Amino acid sequence: YSCLVLFRLTNVATPLWRFPYEEQLKVKSESQKKVLQTLASRLRELGTDKLEITQRPDGLCCPLHSVVPSPIVNGYRNKSTFSVNRGPDGNPKTVGLYVGTGRARNIVCVRANHLENMPEKHKQVAQCYEEFLQQSPLDPCLLFHQGGHWRELTVRTNSAGHTMAIITFHPQDLSQEELCTQKALLKEFFTCGPGAVCNLTSLYFQESIMTRSSHQQSPYQLLYGEPYIFEEVLGLKFRISPDAFFQINTAGAEVLYQIVGKLSRADKNTALLDVCCGTGAIGLSLACQTSKVVGVEVVEQAVEDARWNAAFNGISNCEFHSGKAEMVLPQFLMSQEDDRLVVAVVNPSRAGLHYRVVRAIRNCEAIRTLIYVSCKPEGEAMRNFLEFCCPPDSGKKLVGESFAPLLAVPVDMFPHTMHCELVMLFTR
């Protein structure tokens, strides 16, 4: 491995690695300022009726809190996904992360052994998987149409040291008997062979003919161990399935949820709406201060986890609904009959909220407080911010009173990277 390739991966995956942590926080603070300046500028263009947004001397749309640091700076990731492809030395069974671009045709897969944000356990499992591939007679699946079988490895760990490994496999035209043979070899390697040093708690296998598949599309097959790993956050126990969303930095998640709780000001006279709720962590952590929690999540396994989490922790004022938020939410809000105020917390993926979700929240008079948690606020989240804050527009069916940004709190969940979770508080 050349130092140059390792250096390239370090700069792609952890571009701030050379900076002392205090300097990293300053870089992120400047980045978040630009987001709020952009939002203020775009709202001015839209002619917002919330004058205080556009008249701040600092050019921001609302006050910006200093970046809240992560309690853990190194090895904080509880989930890592590794690709299988050609390495810098030409080895097609290299397990690592990609560097390069398709346009330049210089993409290679580089081992991630030196990355500071990744725990040693993840690196160990990746190294063992590569060792398994080297002895396997089957080829890796580099391009679907060119055949091959072995694909991604995902590793999940918890703070107790338990480890779940999920291996994705393209079946191509293998028979069921041949598939069973490969699963048996994989299990033997990680339980009795060289891979036993990883001390896996769970080993999953997924046959998938797509780039990404849900459990419904291609079921996760448990080859060995426990079906779940468990994590503790703010005194609550959470069950985590193979494909359930859980914040990548567990210690940082505790800080994030406490901040959301303070900003929500939810009390026994309010209901909490948790959109894109994953395993229910935000809603469950705030259940004790509110009258009712309603969670919406597209991943069915995650909803099952959320319901289990509520029952296990003795929380009875939560309900979780499975389905696309844009389908479930409008129907739910229309069916609400009581007059309680609703605090909405949304934590979508980088793709942001579907327009119908924004419209349902915007047009629901009971929602006076909205908390938007975004890991990429300069992306699709910006579109959502504008939709929530623009003047009423009957053409777009945004007839409810507009929201106004009140406060922004960046939380550093991803040390050594440029990313930051931005918690935006909107009210009306």
Side-chain angles (χ1 to χ4, degrees), residues 328-337 360 364:
V328 176
L329 193 59
Q331 292 177 341
F332 168 75
L333 291 176
M334 283 168 57
S335 68
Q336 287 296 90
E337 294 177 356
C364 177

Side-chain angles (χ1 to χ4, degrees), residues 53-322:
I53 296 174
T54 57
Q55 293 184 343
R56 290 180 55 85
D58 56 11
L60 307 182
C61 62
C62 64
L64 175 65
H65 193 283
S66 56
V67 181
V68 180
S70 171
I72 298 173
V73 177
N74 293 326
Y76 57 84
R77 292 185 67 93
N78 56 38
K79 180 183 177 184
S80 299
T81 299
F82 301 92
S83 298
V84 178
N85 216 307
R86 202 163 274 107
D89 57 357
N91 174 13
K93 292 182 174 180
T94 301
V95 177
L97 306 179
Y98 286 130
V99 293
T101 63
R103 181 177 294 178
R105 296 186 177 180
N106 63 351
I107 293 176
V108 288
C109 194
V110 182
R111 295 184 193 113
N113 297 341
H114 58 297
L115 295 182
E116 292 187 10
N117 62 345
M118 193 176 288
E120 291 305 314
K121 175 61 76 174
H122 294 200
K123 299 171 186 177
Q124 181 189 44
V125 178
Q127 200 169 330
C128 285
Y129 182 46
E130 184 171 315
E131 188 179 338
F132 171 79
L133 295 185
Q134 300 303 334
Q135 67 181 42
S136 172
L138 297 185
D139 292 330
C141 180
L142 307 185
L143 293 170
F144 286 13
H145 65 280
Q146 291 182 358
H149 302 278
W150 298 110
R151 291 182 50 215
E152 286 183 344
L153 162 72
T154 298
V155 184
R156 303 189 81 144
T157 47
N158 64 8
S159 48
H162 300 151
T163 307
M164 176 189 286
I166 306 146
I167 287 163
T168 313
F169 184 90
H170 197 306
Q172 302 291 356
D173 54 1
L174 292 184
S175 67
Q176 281 303 311
E177 187 179 348
E178 289 169 315
L179 283 168
C180 286
T181 299
Q182 295 309 314
K183 287 187 269 191
L185 289 171
L186 192 62
K187 178 182 175 181
E188 183 183 10
F189 179 87
F190 277 106
T191 56
C192 314
V197 296
C198 299
N199 194 24
L200 294 182
T201 318
S202 314
L203 175 61
Y204 273 100
F205 184 84
Q206 186 189 39
E207 299 165 33
S208 175
I209 60 172
M210 295 182 282
T211 307
R212 284 275 187 281
S213 299
S214 67
H215 176 67
Q216 284 71 39
Q217 294 165 321
S218 305
Y220 289 91
Q221 303 168 45
L222 182 63
L223 302 187
Y224 164 79
E226 301 298 322
Y228 313 102
I229 56 174
F230 298 85
E231 191 55 275
E232 241 183 67
V233 177
L234 298 176
L236 300 175
K237 188 172 184 178
F238 291 92
R239 186 179 88 174
I240 303 168
S241 294
D243 65 341
F245 172 78
F246 198 81
Q247 288 289 350
I248 211 83
N249 177 343
T250 304
E254 290 201 317
V255 174
L256 177 69
Y257 300 157
Q258 286 173 322
I259 288 167
V260 171
K262 287 177 185 171
L263 294 181
S264 73
R265 296 183 182 171
D267 58 29
K268 293 299 181 183
N269 296 316
T270 58
L272 183 82
L273 181 62
D274 188 2
V275 182
C276 311
C277 66
T279 54
I282 290 179
L284 292 169
S285 66
L286 302 184
C288 60
Q289 69 185 66
T290 186
S291 64
K292 180 183 179 183
V293 173
V294 177
V296 180
E297 168 61 44
V298 69
V299 179
E300 282 185 31
Q301 266 197 313
V303 171
E304 289 173 17
D305 288 343
R307 289 170 180 158
W308 185 94
N309 295 335
F312 182 86
N313 290 289
I315 298 171
S316 57
N317 63 336
C318 294
E319 59 183 67
F320 296 97
H321 300 270
S322 172

